[in-house]
């Protein structure tokens, strides 16, 4: 399992959510990240999900 990091920002750059979770691979991490965004109502906020290697798995601006 790898540890992924999900971050959500306000339009002014304020950090709204900083969360981490574990997933088997990038596609599972993308699904988990999207689920967390939907649950908390942040799907339309600027957000990113980063893999432990540093590449983006999910991004919305």
């Amino acid at each position: 399992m790898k540890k992924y990091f999900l971050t959500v920002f306000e339009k002014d750059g304020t950090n709204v959510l900083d969360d981490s979770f574990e997933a088997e691979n990038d596609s599972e991490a993308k699904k988990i990240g999207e689920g967390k965004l939907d649950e908390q109502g942040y799907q339309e906020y600027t957000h990113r999900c980063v893999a432990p290697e540093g590449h983006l798995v999910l991004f919305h601006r």
Side-chain angles (χ1 to χ4, degrees):
M1 295 286 259
K2 297 180 187 179
K3 191 172 192 177
Y4 291 82
F5 300 90
L6 179 64
T7 309
V8 178
F9 303 95
E10 289 280 359
K11 290 196 183 289
D12 66 1
T14 305
N15 193 354
V16 177
L17 176 71
D18 211 357
D19 194 10
S20 63
F21 59 90
E22 291 188 348
E24 286 288 329
N25 54 46
D26 291 351
S27 91
E28 181 184 354
K30 183 177 179 180
K31 288 177 188 171
I32 292 170
E34 288 172 338
K36 287 179 175 280
L37 292 167
D38 287 340
E39 285 172 11
Q40 298 182 34
Y42 290 136
Q43 59 271 27
E44 293 303 318
Y45 283 65
T46 299
H47 58 264
R48 68 179 176 212
C49 182
V50 182
E53 299 83 15
H55 62 271
L56 290 172
V57 174
L58 181 63
F59 180 78
H60 176 75
R61 184 165 189 213

